[in-house]
Amino acid sequence: MTAEPIEPVSPRKLRPVALVTGPTSGLGAGYARHLAARGYDLVLVARNELKLRSLADDLRLGFGADSEIIAADLATQQGRDLVIDRLGRGVEFLVNNAGFGTSGEFWTAPTELLQAQLDVNVTAVMQLTRAALPSMVAAAKGTVVNVASVAGLLAGRGSTYSASKAYVVSFSEGLSGGLAGTGVQVQALCPGFIRTEFHERAGIEMSTIPRFMWLNVEQVVHASMSDLSKGKVISVPGAQYKLLTAVGTKIPKSAVRKLTNVVGRGRGRT
Ligand SMILES: NC(=O)c1ccc[n+]([C@@H]2O[C@H](COP(=O)([O-])OP(=O)(O)OC[C@H]3O[C@@H](n4cnc5c(N)ncnc54)[C@H](OP(=O)(O)O)[C@@H]3O)[C@@H](O)[C@H]2O)c1
């Protein structure tokens, strides 16, 4: 008697999992769609549960991806702990994308708002990366994309936002050295202006920014993924920003500050 053929494991069960923070809008939504199209199931993290559910439906219909939803405020330790708990069970791809800017002057902005910005833009990035890495290193496979900004490479008049993104760049660069040879990759993505809800949410007026300075979400996600495949730790999407950052690292800091005050319209943002 011949043995029963063994049922092949369903390809659905083999889909890797990616966790994206801030996928209810802008760049995070772009990453979620891109990764779903590449065959990942998703863990979607943001505050707006309705939008998370709607995105999960879209990802299932469009790409056959399963999504877990974590409605969490990353400005709170309670919210971050929900995500840390999930990361402890392992994911293959982490995108630390959630972040926000603020308008006004540093010396008049509410301290709680500035602290929330630090907690989302910095503390969450550090804690979530820390939670994701043990299973990635054990599996000798994994990717962490930390969304920084050109503002993290070339500090301008804005203070707390640029400083938070400089942390993300420095943190990712340092970590990449430690991860060498582990099979785990980390990237600091440093985009310039992207057409998303970011500036409207921050209350920052952008109408005078020339068209050539704007990037779109698809362009940025594509550059990030392409740079990952080349093993680049710092990804700067767009020829205009590659030029700006290349020049910016070669001229005196005093000139950089003047330049970013013009190009970045530094006044009126913290
Ligand atoms: N747009 C640009 O010009 C630009 C340039 C350089 C870098 N960046 C960076 O790109 C990343 C994405 O920004 P975006 O342009 O896509 O902005 P966006 O359209 O405003 O999206 C921000 C996302 O972050 C989530 N988020 C904000 N605060 C959160 C919190 N406390 N807890 C959990 N999730 C939170 C939002 O979700 P909920 O509101 O549902 O919580 C939303 O999904 C940010 O890190 C930003 O600093 C943007």
Side-chain angles (χ1 to χ4, degrees):
M1 205 170 99
T2 50
E4 284 284 306
I6 297 168
E7 277 285 301
V9 179
S10 155
R12 271 227 55 79
K13 293 203 175 83
L14 297 177
R15 285 171 77 104
V17 176
L19 187 147
V20 181
T21 68
T24 52
S25 168
L27 190 56
Y31 271 109
R33 285 180 201 288
H34 184 93
L35 290 165
R38 280 186 122 156
Y40 284 82
D41 283 336
L42 272 299
V43 184
L44 305 169
V45 179
R47 291 165 300 181
N48 190 321
E49 194 170 345
L50 272 181
K51 283 193 181 175
L52 288 172
R53 291 201 181 286
S54 157
L55 176 62
D57 289 345
D58 288 353
L59 297 181
R60 181 187 296 280
L61 279 173
F63 310 104
D66 278 342
S67 299
E68 291 169 51
I69 281 169
I70 303 178
D73 183 350
L74 294 173
T76 68
Q77 191 58 49
Q78 194 186 17
R80 293 190 295 273
D81 282 344
L82 293 173
V83 189
I84 287 167
D85 185 55
R86 175 60 189 84
L87 287 168
R89 286 182 272 129
V91 300
E92 220 171 88
F93 205 118
L94 167 64
V95 186
N96 277 312
N97 162 79
F100 68 95
T102 44
S103 55
E105 301 300 343
F106 171 73
W107 52 92
T108 55
T111 306
E112 309 75 49
L113 182 63
L114 298 173
Q115 187 63 52
Q117 185 184 54
L118 194 58
D119 290 337
V120 177
N121 292 12
V122 172
T123 308
V125 174
M126 181 276 287
Q127 291 188 351
L128 269 48
T129 304
R130 171 66 184 81
L133 283 180
S135 61
M136 290 185 180
V137 171
K141 192 178 184 185
T143 304
V144 178
V145 172
N146 291 326
V147 178
S149 169
V150 162
L153 296 171
L154 305 174
R157 163 65 177 70
S159 54
T160 57
Y161 182 75
S162 293
S164 73
K165 295 303 184 178
Y167 175 97
V168 176
V169 173
S170 183
F171 166 64
S172 305
E173 281 198 283
L175 188 58
S176 73
L179 287 171
T182 62
V184 181
Q185 206 178 354
V186 60
Q187 176 186 85
L189 175 71
C190 299
F193 301 129
I194 321 168
R195 293 193 190 280
T196 67
E197 294 177 14
F198 180 89
H199 299 99
E200 197 187 326
R201 285 184 189 226
I204 299 171
E205 167 58 40
M206 299 295 283
S207 58
T208 58
I209 300 295
R211 276 180 68 172
F212 78 92
M213 295 300 285
W214 287 100
L215 304 166
N216 65 54
V217 164
E218 290 70 30
Q219 185 183 4
V220 173
V221 174
H222 182 268
S224 163
M225 300 304 287
S226 166
D227 283 344
L228 279 172
S229 70
K230 294 174 196 151
K232 283 195 188 174
V233 176
I234 296 196
S235 175
V236 180
Q240 68 279 51
Y241 288 106
K242 283 186 174 59
L243 179 66
L244 187 71
T245 52
V247 171
T249 52
K250 288 185 180 60
I251 59 178
K253 284 217 164 210
S254 56
V256 173
R257 285 195 294 274
K258 279 188 189 137
L259 185 73
T260 50
N261 278 345
V262 176
V263 178
R265 300 201 53 241
R267 259 210 102 76
R269 56 172 69 191
T270 72

